[in-house]
Amino acid sequence: MVDVLIMLAAGIAGAAFLLALVRFVRGPSRMDRVVAFDVLTVIAITFIVLAALLENRGVYLDAALVYALLSFLGVIAAARYLEGRF
């Protein structure tokens, strides 16, 4: 039953990934693309966590945490660059 719920969550996250990818490609401004990139990284972290739950491997959670921290720093750097304060 848990595996079915994880697969359902992965399907919903996949649909959200496609929608965010469309926003990333078609975004009218650069800031829209930065926000869409942030959403894409959060969804990718979701996939890593779901894989950790599905395979019972805690090391994937460590990788997800590192990826989240690097993603946060990258989005902050991109936003400051686009704002002109970099």
Side-chain angles (χ1 to χ4, degrees):
M1 181 66 182
V2 174
D3 292 343
V4 173
L5 292 176
I6 291 173
M7 291 301 196
L8 179 66
I12 293 170
F17 189 85
L18 291 176
L19 291 172
L21 188 63
V22 168
R23 174 53 54 196
F24 183 74
V25 171
R26 296 185 55 192
S29 70
R30 293 183 290 175
M31 284 307 273
D32 286 332
R33 288 185 173 96
V34 169
V35 171
F37 179 72
D38 187 35
V39 171
L40 287 171
T41 57
V42 168
I43 296 170
I45 292 166
T46 303
F47 283 130
I48 295 171
V49 170
L50 289 174
L53 290 173
L54 194 61
E55 298 184 13
N56 292 327
R57 296 201 180 246
V59 71
Y60 291 167
L61 297 176
D62 295 336
L65 182 62
V66 169
Y67 186 49
L69 291 172
L70 291 175
S71 168
F72 173 73
L73 292 176
V75 168
I76 294 297
R80 291 193 73 182
Y81 173 75
L82 290 176
E83 192 178 69
R85 294 180 15 189
F86 196 59

